[in-house]
Amino acid sequence: MAFINDKSGDSRSPTLAPPPPTATFDSVNKDMTFSDMEKGRNPNGKRVRTGYSDIKFNRIEPIPPHLAGQALGSDSESDISIGVGQQIALEAENAIQYRTCSWQKTAALLFSEYICLAIMSFPYSYSVLGLVPGLIMTVVVAAIVLYTSLVVWEFCLRHPEVRDVCDLGQMIFFNNRWAWWFTAVMFILNNTFIQGFHCLTGAKYLNTVSNGGACTIVFSAIMAIISFVCSLPRTFSTLAKLGTASALFTFISVLLAAVFAGVEDHPAGYPYAGEVQILAIPLKGTTFVSGLNAFLNISYTFIGQITLPSFIAEMKEPRDFPKALWAVTIAEIFVFSICGGITYAYTGTNYNTAPAFGSLGNRTFEIVSFSFMIPTLIFLGVLYASVSARFVFFNIFSGTKHMGSHTVVGWASWAGILACTWVLAFIIAEVIPFFADLLSLMSSLFDSFFGFIFWGVAYLRMRKVDYGSGFMTARGARSIIGVAFNIFLICVGLFTLTAGTYASVESIIQGYAAANFGGAFTCATNGLQPAVDLATATPEGLALAAQLGYPTVAKRWLADAGNAYLQTFKLTR
């Protein structure tokens, strides 16, 4: 995407192509807010048209210097029609165009990000929390993530030059450059660890279907290579096509798992752990660490706001983003709750594994349902690799011909950045023996910001710039409730940061104490196998478990200790 500065000498004022012929730019009250826009009225109650042509928002900060080439409009207010329309016009002649995603394509990206392997860890969370609290928590967390995602959207509408969450982080925290670097470090580490995780989950699938037919390192390397190739498309519009297939196959996979769990006579391992035990509420004696881990497992599955600014930055019509968001949220609640609840109801607490494919007693059922998850095992890592590469590539080549043209330098650099992320992800996943727990630790540290703290602060800053120092009470009860709720979100983020980090560190410590961690670059299989819970297992069950090599430690303790067998699939994003 090329931007040409005007002759005034102001680097923040690019020469802009005229708006599309169909666009008009009606003036509206500059104090028009997000809620007013949604209702189609200005602050005085007069109805206004709410297309791009008449949306203006107050900015919370001036345009950052590193985004001056994309700065459109004044430093005090943003006009969506100018910001988006002229960005599209500026790249109209480019061979590679970025503002090309419709809301349907964005929905496909969101579906592929959220409708993923993590669904099959929900039965595990329900087995710890109990089915009723687990289902309630699923709906509550989904609603909170929907709300915060709408806050992200509003922020991006106010600042159409924002390209990713790092730009957003800088502006939220008073335009300080250190905030950009702080966010960038979390952003890259988070995405790279997710890529590494998908190398391991791919190896787990290959080990499961081949009965450990090759070294786990080889299987992980194969997944990294395949994922690298699939990461090469440079726009989200292209990746959306792969994302659609990924989400569809994932839905089929979890649906088959739920159906298979219902039609088979008994789950894997039955009857050696007694009768199937289904809990409506948590089992007496459930520890804080295991309960918190189960809650965080649900939370981390929903938290994905880190990618939203990148998605919105490539939409043709960012105002349509809520359509995609509502569609995926409704689907999440139904799929997570129904498939997770049904699978748990038939596998119970004492025969449940994570992912729940391992709970299926019929080997064919297990392999068939797990096999439909292959596209997601590949694509979700691909999506995060693309988001990371996009961030690095844009910061290196912004304003050059390599952004919008098919140049050797551009494509070689893009491929090189992707290769670096996948090599690093593979090494990290294989070198760190407690990788699964480290991923949990990283999620506690990073998702506390990307899931809660950032958006609570963003809301407060936007309302202050809209209503001044009295923003807490400017709209009466509505303002008071809004401010209180967003302060609550910040507190939830701080709790996740502290308590979640404690639970993750404690899990690593206990894992080392129990010698549950292997060595670096191990060839040992990580394929799925049934688990036997010592709390309910019969003596005959224990003997058979030892003979077959099943885990022979109480699953409740495993949840506390962070044993890699159960915790490997705890997080997928």
Side-chain angles (χ1 to χ4, degrees):
M1 184 187 302
F3 296 91
I4 304 173
N5 290 335
D6 67 10
K7 297 180 181 179
S8 67
D10 186 352
S11 62
R12 298 178 303 175
S13 304
T15 298
L16 300 174
T22 57
T24 59
F25 301 97
D26 300 338
S27 61
V28 295
N29 190 314
K30 71 176 184 178
D31 294 324
M32 184 177 183
T33 66
F34 172 64
S35 57
D36 296 323
M37 180 270 287
E38 280 294 277
K39 292 181 177 180
R41 297 181 181 277
N42 66 18
N44 298 321
K46 181 180 179 181
R47 178 165 292 280
V48 297
R49 292 185 300 125
T50 56
Y52 285 150
S53 57
D54 48 23
I55 301 175
K56 287 187 179 180
F57 292 114
N58 294 326
R59 302 178 60 90
I60 70 166
E61 289 290 343
I63 298 159
H66 75 284
L67 295 178
Q70 299 189 59
L72 307 166
S74 73
D75 277 353
S76 61
E77 61 183 32
S78 295
D79 191 320
I80 303 303
S81 57
I82 295 177
V84 176
Q86 296 201 12
Q87 284 181 17
I88 293 174
L90 284 169
E91 65 175 19
E93 302 301 322
N94 292 349
I96 301 174
Q97 299 175 7
Y98 295 96
R99 282 269 187 195
T100 55
C101 273
S102 62
W103 75 264
Q104 292 91 341
K105 289 184 177 180
T106 304
L109 294 172
L110 293 176
F111 271 103
S112 65
E113 181 182 3
Y114 289 106
I115 308 298
C116 58
L117 183 63
I119 299 173
M120 299 311 293
S121 67
F122 271 56
Y124 158 75
S125 293
Y126 295 163
S127 73
V128 177
L129 297 173
L131 188 57
V132 174
L135 290 173
I136 294 174
M137 198 62 62
T138 299
V139 176
V140 170
V141 173
I144 290 176
V145 172
L146 172 65
Y147 173 81
T148 55
S149 297
L150 290 172
V151 172
V152 177
W153 171 58
E154 178 187 351
F155 194 97
C156 290
L157 290 184
R158 291 172 182 254
H159 310 89
E161 74 281 356
V162 165
R163 302 173 300 188
D164 48 56
V165 74
C166 304
D167 295 337
L168 191 149
Q170 174 175 336
M171 300 189 74
I172 287 177
F173 293 102
F174 306 96
N175 225 352
N176 287 308
R177 191 59 176 171
W178 66 262
W180 186 92
W181 285 104
F182 174 72
T183 308
V185 170
M186 292 194 296
F187 179 68
I188 294 297
L189 284 177
N190 179 80
N191 295 354
T192 303
F193 270 79
I194 290 172
Q195 291 174 243
F197 178 75
H198 279 268
C199 289
L200 287 183
T201 55
K204 179 176 283 287
Y205 167 76
L206 295 174
N207 269 318
T208 298
V209 299
S210 68
N211 288 319
C215 176
T216 297
I217 298 174
V218 174
F219 284 149
S220 294
I222 291 173
M223 284 297 298
I225 294 171
I226 294 174
S227 298
F228 163 73
V229 173
C230 294
S231 303
L232 288 174
R234 281 170 60 174
T235 64
F236 289 137
S237 180
T238 303
L239 284 179
K241 300 173 184 176
L242 298 176
T244 302
S246 171
L248 177 61
F249 276 89
T250 302
F251 176 74
I252 294 174
S253 175
V254 298
L255 182 62
L256 286 176
V259 171
F260 290 157
V263 300
E264 65 179 9
D265 294 332
H266 303 292
Y270 182 88
Y272 304 110
E275 293 301 316
V276 175
Q277 183 182 38
I278 303 170
L279 302 176
I281 58 175
L283 189 67
K284 184 177 180 180
T286 299
T287 66
F288 170 77
V289 173
S290 62
L292 182 60
N293 275 337
F295 162 73
L296 293 178
N297 177 53
I298 294 175
S299 299
Y300 295 154
T301 303
F302 280 101
I303 292 173
Q305 299 96 315
I306 188 174
T307 63
L308 299 189
S310 300
F311 293 164
I312 295 172
E314 291 200 13
M315 290 188 69
K316 291 184 294 185
E317 298 179 349
R319 189 170 178 267
D320 288 340
F321 178 73
K323 298 178 183 177
L325 191 62
W326 275 100
V328 74
T329 301
I330 293 172
E332 282 178 315
I333 293 174
F334 276 98
V335 175
F336 289 11
S337 300
I338 295 176
C339 292
I342 290 176
T343 303
Y344 170 64
Y346 285 103
T347 59
T349 296
N350 42 341
Y351 294 103
N352 180 264
T353 63
F357 298 118
S359 301
L360 298 175
N362 185 300
R363 174 73 171 170
T364 302
F365 287 173
E366 177 186 65
I367 293 178
V368 169
S369 57
F370 198 3
S371 294
F372 275 94
M373 195 65 71
I374 294 175
T376 290
L377 296 181
I378 297 172
F379 182 78
L380 199 52
V382 165
L383 184 62
Y384 277 87
S386 182
V387 170
S388 292
R390 180 185 186 277
F391 164 73
V392 176
F393 187 86
F394 278 25
N395 278 280
I396 295 175
F397 294 108
S398 181
T400 71
K401 64 179 181 180
H402 306 298
M403 283 278 292
S405 302
H406 294 293
T407 65
V408 174
V409 172
W411 276 105
S413 300
W414 177 260
I417 294 168
L418 284 170
C420 288
T421 65
W422 281 111
V423 169
L424 182 61
F426 169 77
I427 292 174
I428 290 176
E430 294 297 330
V431 166
I432 301 174
F434 52 92
F435 178 79
D437 288 287
L438 183 60
L439 185 62
S440 178
L441 175 61
M442 291 296 177
S443 296
S444 298
L445 294 173
F446 301 157
D447 285 353
S448 57
F449 290 96
F450 294 136
F452 303 102
I453 296 174
F454 270 30
W455 321 127
V457 175
Y459 175 91
L460 296 177
R461 294 215 61 202
M462 288 189 291
R463 294 300 168 264
K464 183 175 182 180
V465 78
D466 288 340
Y467 299 103
S469 58
F471 72 98
M472 293 186 181
T473 57
R475 295 175 295 169
R478 183 178 176 183
S479 289
I480 295 173
I481 293 173
V483 170
F485 182 70
N486 281 274
I487 292 175
F488 167 75
L489 289 181
I490 296 172
C491 292
V492 170
L494 293 174
F495 172 79
T496 303
L497 179 63
T498 54
T501 300
Y502 160 76
S504 299
V505 172
E506 184 67 18
S507 185
I508 294 172
I509 293 173
Q510 293 180 10
Y512 266 115
N516 286 325
F517 301 131
F521 289 102
T522 177
C523 278
T525 180
N526 65 344
L528 292 177
Q529 57 180 323
V532 174
D533 190 345
L534 289 183
T536 55
T538 63
E540 295 80 9
L542 296 180
L544 182 61
Q547 178 183 346
L548 298 178
Y550 290 176
T552 55
V553 185
K555 191 171 62 174
R556 293 283 173 193
W557 185 87
L558 287 176
D560 290 349
N563 180 278
Y565 168 72
L566 283 179
Q567 297 297 307
T568 294
F569 277 81
K570 206 177 90 171
L571 302 171
T572 60
R573 294 193 301 97

